[in-house]
Amino acid sequence: MALRLWARSAANALKLSGTGGARAAAAPAFSISRFVSTVHDGLKYTQSHEWVKTGDGVATVGITDHAQDHLGEVVFVELPEPGTTVSAGASFGNVESVKATSDVNSPISGEVVEVNSKLSETPGLINTSPYEDGWMIKVKPSSPGEADALLDAAKYTKHCEEEDAH
Amino acid sequence: MRLVTMSSMPILQQLHLEEQLLRCTPNNWCVINDGTDPATIVMGVSGRVSELVEIQPVLRDQVPVVRRFSGGGTVIVDQGTVFVTFICNKNAVAGLQPYPRDIMSWSGQLYGKVFDRFGEFHLRENDYAFSHRKFGGNAQSITKNRWVHHTSFLWDYDVKNMDYLKIPKRAPEYRLARNHTDFLCRMKEYIPSRSVFTDGVIAALGEHFSVQPMGLQAILSSDDEFVPSTKLLSQQDLQDIVSSKESLRI
């Protein structure tokens, strides 16, 4: 079952104007719009907003709904080759959105066994289906149980609320 | 924030330096490079050369083409370009989350303080513009705990150089299909001197940070282990693209 949380998202820089006329109050300058992001039970989460689904000796990894919303429209995804070794907490690839590349970090250590080839033609799957069609890599874990130390859905939800409250 | 100023550093070297400062140091940095030589085409990480660059004239005139580590579009830079880069820890600015639009919002406000007195400054769909004419293009790269926001400002530009660039398919709406000449403007027509501009940036930064100038030599590293991802495309790379119509990104 999906949990839904009410989180504050960042200002839309597209609408920001710096003319010499009257300005809006300086604070809070970066948080205006509000967004509802989805968090799934049964997944584990990192503080850097990746998710991992473990089972049958292979773990699936992607970025969360919270992350895709904050990143904006994803236009390009760079993924490792199968056979690459990934380490927990380290970058394995990146996504491009709004003229920015953003690192994506692996929740667990292991070997990449499959990458989502659909993302090369349809990177927007990360936005429209971050937990299903927008999965990024599948990993054969080198340390079974490593994911147990990650955040569950409730703790991840709290983490997002705390981040957006700043 | 550590401030490094230089002039005419080749853009490939500057980007290698920035990537190293981003990935291998814990400090906040502002890098200012006043002009660059040689004139170079710089593409974002996902750019397709055949869609963005007029390859035959580039090959004929041996214009260097660089693929940088950050996102965003394609520019041609030269001695008329002034580069300003911010490299920050994710907690460097209170309340600023390390996401593209958040960082852009912060940088737009900072540059507003620099440019408002010279013209009708806007952050327009992620470009820096006077009215509807762009004078600064930027891009970002965000890691787990740090980010870089770098901008190429058009103090001046050679209109002939724009012939090496195609009009991109993915363009901001406010461009309205204008060609380069109608879309861009030159900062020198608005601001009295380059130093007035760069001094203004440093002053605006001083409102957020304690700015500490550092000599370039002190930071040119002998870290041979770091391998930057910014890459100079070879003549062979470009010829392969012409012949293959770029089925693979180089």
Side-chain angles (χ1 to χ4, degrees), chain A residues 105-149:
Chain A
N105 306 294
S106 183
I108 60 170
S109 306
E111 178 189 338
V112 177
V113 296
E114 189 180 348
V115 301
N116 187 349
S117 58
K118 289 183 184 174
L119 295 180
S120 62
E121 288 301 317
T122 319
L125 287 172
I126 288 180
N127 296 116
T128 57
S129 182
Y131 297 112
E132 283 94 26
D133 295 337
W135 67 272
M136 298 179 77
I137 60 171
K138 296 193 178 188
V139 177
K140 180 181 169 187
S142 58
S143 303
E146 191 176 26
D148 294 342

XYZ file of all heavy atoms in Angstrom, chain A residues 105-149:
331
model
N 22.883 7.383 -6.433
C 23.764 6.585 -5.586
C 23.155 5.213 -5.309
O 21.949 5.079 -5.139
C 24.005 7.320 -4.261
C 24.513 8.729 -4.494
O 25.612 8.935 -4.995
N 23.698 9.710 -4.140
N 23.991 4.208 -5.249
C 23.487 2.862 -5.021
C 23.184 2.636 -3.547
O 24.015 2.947 -2.681
C 24.513 1.827 -5.486
O 23.976 0.528 -5.313
N 22.008 2.097 -3.246
C 21.703 1.800 -1.839
C 22.505 0.628 -1.284
O 22.694 0.541 -0.070
C 20.202 1.444 -1.875
C 19.690 1.993 -3.163
C 20.836 1.923 -4.116
N 22.951 -0.259 -2.195
C 23.631 -1.470 -1.728
C 24.874 -1.713 -2.581
O 25.054 -1.102 -3.630
C 22.711 -2.706 -1.820
C 22.272 -2.926 -3.278
C 21.509 -2.563 -0.892
C 21.562 -4.239 -3.505
N 25.698 -2.625 -2.115
C 26.897 -3.023 -2.860
C 26.604 -4.287 -3.655
O 25.813 -5.127 -3.225
C 28.048 -3.280 -1.891
O 28.267 -2.165 -1.058
N 27.281 -4.413 -4.793
C 27.106 -5.635 -5.567
C 27.514 -5.447 -7.006
O 28.261 -4.523 -7.341
N 26.990 -6.313 -7.849
C 27.321 -6.273 -9.271
C 26.059 -5.972 -10.078
O 25.018 -6.589 -9.877
C 27.896 -7.626 -9.711
C 28.229 -7.695 -11.202
C 28.580 -9.111 -11.652
O 28.967 -9.922 -10.792
O 28.444 -9.404 -12.856
N 26.177 -5.042 -10.983
C 25.051 -4.720 -11.858
C 24.818 -5.887 -12.807
O 25.743 -6.321 -13.514
C 25.326 -3.431 -12.653
C 24.183 -3.147 -13.629
C 25.541 -2.258 -11.712
N 23.601 -6.413 -12.814
C 23.286 -7.528 -13.709
C 22.366 -7.126 -14.856
O 22.252 -7.824 -15.855
C 22.684 -8.716 -12.926
C 23.708 -9.265 -11.938
C 21.408 -8.305 -12.198
N 21.701 -6.004 -14.701
C 20.798 -5.541 -15.754
C 20.575 -4.044 -15.579
O 20.565 -3.545 -14.453
C 19.453 -6.286 -15.652
C 18.521 -6.049 -16.825
C 17.194 -6.802 -16.694
O 17.077 -7.678 -15.806
O 16.266 -6.486 -17.465
N 20.452 -3.343 -16.697
C 20.067 -1.928 -16.648
C 18.792 -1.762 -17.466
O 18.513 -2.551 -18.376
C 21.178 -1.003 -17.178
C 22.451 -1.170 -16.368
C 21.426 -1.207 -18.650
N 18.043 -0.725 -17.147
C 16.771 -0.476 -17.821
C 17.036 0.236 -19.149
O 17.197 1.450 -19.194
C 15.857 0.359 -16.933
C 14.458 0.508 -17.507
O 14.201 0.162 -18.658
N 13.544 1.024 -16.703
N 17.068 -0.538 -20.215
C 17.414 0.032 -21.516
C 16.340 0.988 -22.034
O 16.614 1.826 -22.895
C 17.651 -1.085 -22.529
O 16.482 -1.904 -22.628
N 15.122 0.883 -21.509
C 14.056 1.785 -21.975
C 14.362 3.238 -21.630
O 13.855 4.157 -22.280
C 12.721 1.402 -21.322
C 12.121 0.106 -21.814
C 10.771 -0.132 -21.165
C 10.216 -1.489 -21.576
N 8.981 -1.801 -20.836
N 15.203 3.456 -20.640
C 15.457 4.821 -20.193
C 16.280 5.618 -21.208
O 16.272 6.849 -21.165
C 16.166 4.818 -18.836
C 15.348 4.258 -17.672
C 16.157 4.314 -16.378
C 14.037 5.014 -17.502
N 16.958 4.939 -22.115
C 17.737 5.695 -23.098
C 16.810 6.403 -24.091
O 17.077 7.523 -24.518
C 18.714 4.784 -23.830
O 18.013 3.795 -24.549
N 15.720 5.768 -24.436
C 14.760 6.391 -25.353
C 13.677 7.161 -24.610
O 13.136 8.136 -25.139
C 14.107 5.314 -26.232
C 15.019 4.729 -27.285
C 15.552 5.788 -28.232
O 14.778 6.668 -28.656
O 16.763 5.772 -28.524
N 13.329 6.700 -23.413
C 12.215 7.307 -22.666
C 12.651 7.619 -21.244
O 12.188 7.001 -20.288
C 10.994 6.353 -22.661
O 10.829 5.758 -23.943
C 9.709 7.121 -22.312
N 13.551 8.584 -21.083
C 14.017 8.901 -19.724
C 12.890 9.396 -18.823
O 12.977 9.276 -17.599
C 15.072 9.993 -19.955
C 14.765 10.560 -21.308
C 14.183 9.447 -22.103
N 11.845 9.925 -19.397
C 10.720 10.434 -18.605
C 9.974 9.376 -17.823
O 9.157 9.701 -16.951
N 10.281 8.093 -18.064
C 9.678 7.037 -17.245
C 10.036 7.228 -15.774
O 9.293 6.824 -14.885
C 10.156 5.655 -17.713
C 9.577 5.160 -19.037
C 10.283 3.878 -19.469
C 8.075 4.918 -18.919
N 11.182 7.846 -15.533
C 11.582 8.096 -14.157
C 10.603 9.056 -13.492
O 10.329 8.959 -12.300
C 13.027 8.632 -14.118
C 13.992 7.492 -14.467
C 13.351 9.244 -12.772
C 15.450 7.869 -14.463
N 10.070 10.004 -14.268
C 9.092 10.936 -13.720
C 7.718 10.292 -13.589
O 7.037 10.450 -12.590
C 8.955 12.172 -14.618
C 10.222 12.989 -14.686
O 10.822 13.111 -15.758
N 10.655 13.546 -13.570
N 7.289 9.577 -14.618
C 5.913 9.072 -14.644
C 5.739 7.788 -13.839
O 4.638 7.511 -13.358
C 5.472 8.805 -16.089
O 6.393 7.877 -16.691
C 5.451 10.103 -16.890
N 6.809 7.006 -13.675
C 6.689 5.720 -12.994
C 7.987 5.413 -12.253
O 8.699 4.465 -12.581
C 6.377 4.622 -14.020
O 6.197 3.368 -13.393
N 8.318 6.201 -11.235
C 9.617 6.063 -10.585
C 9.827 4.716 -9.895
O 10.973 4.285 -9.758
C 9.646 7.220 -9.574
C 8.209 7.582 -9.353
C 7.518 7.309 -10.643
N 8.770 4.062 -9.480
C 8.927 2.805 -8.738
C 8.684 1.566 -9.599
O 8.971 0.455 -9.165
C 7.943 2.758 -7.556
C 8.176 3.845 -6.532
C 7.247 4.867 -6.357
C 9.323 3.855 -5.746
C 7.442 5.863 -5.416
C 9.535 4.850 -4.809
C 8.590 5.848 -4.647
O 8.795 6.836 -3.723
N 8.170 1.750 -10.810
C 7.912 0.591 -11.673
C 8.685 0.704 -12.979
O 9.837 0.292 -13.059
C 6.390 0.435 -11.945
C 5.617 -0.175 -10.784
C 5.009 0.852 -9.860
O 4.734 1.982 -10.301
O 4.802 0.532 -8.675
N 8.105 1.277 -13.985
C 8.776 1.314 -15.290
C 10.056 2.136 -15.278
O 10.892 2.005 -16.159
C 7.814 1.880 -16.347
C 6.613 0.969 -16.564
O 6.721 -0.239 -16.255
O 5.571 1.452 -17.032
N 10.207 3.033 -14.309
C 11.391 3.885 -14.239
C 12.534 3.305 -13.419
O 13.460 4.037 -13.069
N 12.483 1.994 -13.127
C 13.609 1.392 -12.401
C 14.895 1.612 -13.189
O 14.871 1.728 -14.420
C 13.371 -0.100 -12.134
C 13.363 -0.965 -13.372
C 12.283 -1.243 -14.163
C 14.486 -1.648 -13.951
N 12.666 -2.064 -15.204
C 14.001 -2.335 -15.099
C 15.838 -1.779 -13.609
C 14.839 -3.118 -15.899
C 16.666 -2.552 -14.422
C 16.162 -3.211 -15.553
N 16.054 1.630 -12.518
C 17.289 2.012 -13.198
C 18.254 0.834 -13.371
O 18.737 0.587 -14.466
C 17.964 3.157 -12.437
C 17.087 4.409 -12.404
S 17.798 5.782 -11.509
C 18.972 6.367 -12.709
N 18.584 0.149 -12.281
C 19.511 -0.977 -12.386
C 19.027 -2.126 -11.521
O 18.266 -1.930 -10.579
C 20.956 -0.604 -11.964
C 21.003 -0.124 -10.514
C 21.533 0.446 -12.896
C 22.419 0.060 -9.967
N 19.507 -3.317 -11.876
C 19.316 -4.486 -11.010
C 20.693 -4.957 -10.581
O 21.637 -5.018 -11.391
C 18.545 -5.588 -11.735
C 17.137 -5.137 -12.091
C 16.230 -6.270 -12.523
C 14.832 -5.683 -12.804
N 13.826 -6.676 -13.050
N 20.783 -5.292 -9.294
C 22.082 -5.576 -8.676
C 22.039 -6.934 -7.992
O 21.061 -7.253 -7.303
C 22.426 -4.484 -7.630
C 23.730 -4.786 -6.917
C 22.477 -3.108 -8.302
N 23.097 -7.705 -8.193
C 23.275 -8.921 -7.402
C 24.013 -8.504 -6.140
O 25.199 -8.121 -6.221
C 24.084 -9.944 -8.194
C 24.329 -11.249 -7.473
C 25.164 -12.173 -8.347
C 25.640 -13.371 -7.540
N 26.583 -14.192 -8.310
N 23.359 -8.526 -4.976
C 23.995 -7.983 -3.768
C 25.213 -8.791 -3.342
O 25.216 -10.024 -3.409
C 22.884 -8.087 -2.709
C 21.614 -8.250 -3.475
C 21.981 -8.970 -4.726
N 26.243 -8.083 -2.902
C 27.431 -8.756 -2.388
C 27.361 -8.932 -0.877
O 28.115 -9.726 -0.310
C 28.690 -7.972 -2.766
O 28.612 -6.653 -2.251
N 26.480 -8.177 -0.224
C 26.320 -8.274 1.226
C 24.836 -8.433 1.536
O 24.132 -7.445 1.776
C 26.856 -7.027 1.927
O 28.196 -6.788 1.608
N 24.359 -9.647 1.523
C 22.930 -9.864 1.814
C 22.571 -9.264 3.166
O 23.331 -9.379 4.124
C 22.807 -11.395 1.832
C 23.938 -11.881 1.001
C 25.055 -10.891 1.209
N 21.451 -8.615 3.234
C 21.039 -7.992 4.481
C 21.476 -6.544 4.607
O 21.088 -5.842 5.541
N 22.305 -6.095 3.662
C 22.792 -4.705 3.725
C 21.638 -3.716 3.671
O 21.660 -2.665 4.312
C 23.756 -4.468 2.556
C 24.536 -3.173 2.641
C 25.539 -3.043 1.495
O 25.315 -3.638 0.419
O 26.546 -2.346 1.677
N 20.610 -4.068 2.899
C 19.472 -3.153 2.756
C 18.678 -3.006 4.048
O 17.934 -2.032 4.210
C 18.557 -3.637 1.627
N 18.841 -3.950 4.965
C 18.054 -3.881 6.206
C 18.350 -2.623 6.998
O 17.509 -2.151 7.782
C 18.341 -5.114 7.078
C 17.854 -6.401 6.426
O 17.012 -6.318 5.510
O 18.318 -7.490 6.842
N 19.543 -2.075 6.816
C 19.940 -0.894 7.589
C 19.372 0.394 6.997
O 19.509 1.465 7.588
C 21.462 -0.809 7.635
